[in-house]
Amino acid sequence: MDRRLRRRSGRLRQGSPRRRRLQAEGALIGGYAGYNFQFDNSPIVIGAETDFNWSDQDDKISFGPLGSVKADVKWAGATRGRVGLAFDRFLAYGAAGVAYSRVKGNAAGITSSRTFTGWTAGGGLEYAFTDSVVGRAEYRYSDYGRRNGVKLTENRVMGGLAIKFGW
């Protein structure tokens, strides 16, 4: 189980000639689950994990008397493969996979929600405080692609604390 508070900066780009950008910022909290395997007599670790996070990220651009555009990221997650090197109680790893995010938008009084799906890649460092408690710090870039003229990308830095089960 993991409870983590994260800060990220997401970008939503509307496909207009002026290319105004919404810079959605805020916090995330969520959890992740996964499985790792370390080869015998080797520092190589492979694994897979998935995470899901509630988000309060949003941003708004005002066009004065013409109204405004608002984007609100409702949730985000990813399912990724991992490869790393273990040294004593440390694990340095890289990860990549599929990313997904739900965004609610409002422009000129019209509200619409869309789920974006794309790719993600990043890396991090884990430290085993005990045999069952692990802390982590990670950076992740995600490109959710373009949908109906809107492109969504994000850079995320996060930290977490996990409990390992000896199954």
Side-chain angles (χ1 to χ4, degrees):
M1 183 170 143
D2 174 37
R3 291 246 181 226
R4 42 189 167 164
L5 181 63
R6 302 179 243 180
R7 186 143 177 88
R8 79 174 180 181
S9 173
R11 281 196 173 149
L12 285 111
R13 283 185 243 154
Q14 183 66 35
S16 68
R18 296 183 71 180
R19 291 258 189 222
R20 296 192 119 199
R21 290 188 177 154
L22 290 165
Q23 297 281 132
E25 292 185 359
L28 291 167
I29 189 165
Y32 72 91
Y35 181 81
N36 289 321
F37 176 80
Q38 184 169 3
F39 294 96
D40 290 334
N41 300 317
S42 172
I44 297 173
V45 176
I46 61 171
E49 69 180 35
T50 190
D51 64 81
F52 188 82
N53 310 282
W54 171 83
S55 170
D56 78 341
Q57 303 165 329
D58 61 9
D59 195 15
K60 183 177 182 178
I61 296 175
S62 178
F63 297 98
L66 300 175
S68 63
V69 174
K70 181 177 180 182
D72 184 8
V73 180
K74 301 310 251 177
W75 53 259
T79 301
R80 308 175 305 154
R82 298 191 332 155
V83 176
L85 294 174
F87 301 97
D88 192 28
R89 301 188 77 76
F90 287 95
L91 173 66
Y93 64 91
V98 63
Y100 28 88
S101 185
R102 183 78 170 172
V103 178
K104 180 179 176 183
N106 186 321
I110 299 171
T111 300
S112 175
S113 291
R114 301 192 192 295
T115 300
F116 288 79
T117 305
W119 62 271
T120 186
L125 185 64
E126 290 186 353
Y127 179 75
F129 296 107
T130 69
D131 287 344
S132 60
V133 178
V134 177
R136 107 177 355 184
E138 181 178 289
Y139 165 78
R140 182 187 305 178
Y141 173 80
S142 297
D143 185 333
Y144 297 97
R146 183 177 299 278
R147 189 142 182 225
N148 296 335
V150 176
K151 181 168 178 63
L152 175 61
T153 63
E154 76 173 345
N155 289 285
R156 184 189 303 182
V157 175
M158 59 192 147
L161 194 60
I163 297 173
K164 289 173 41 176
F165 300 98
W167 296 331

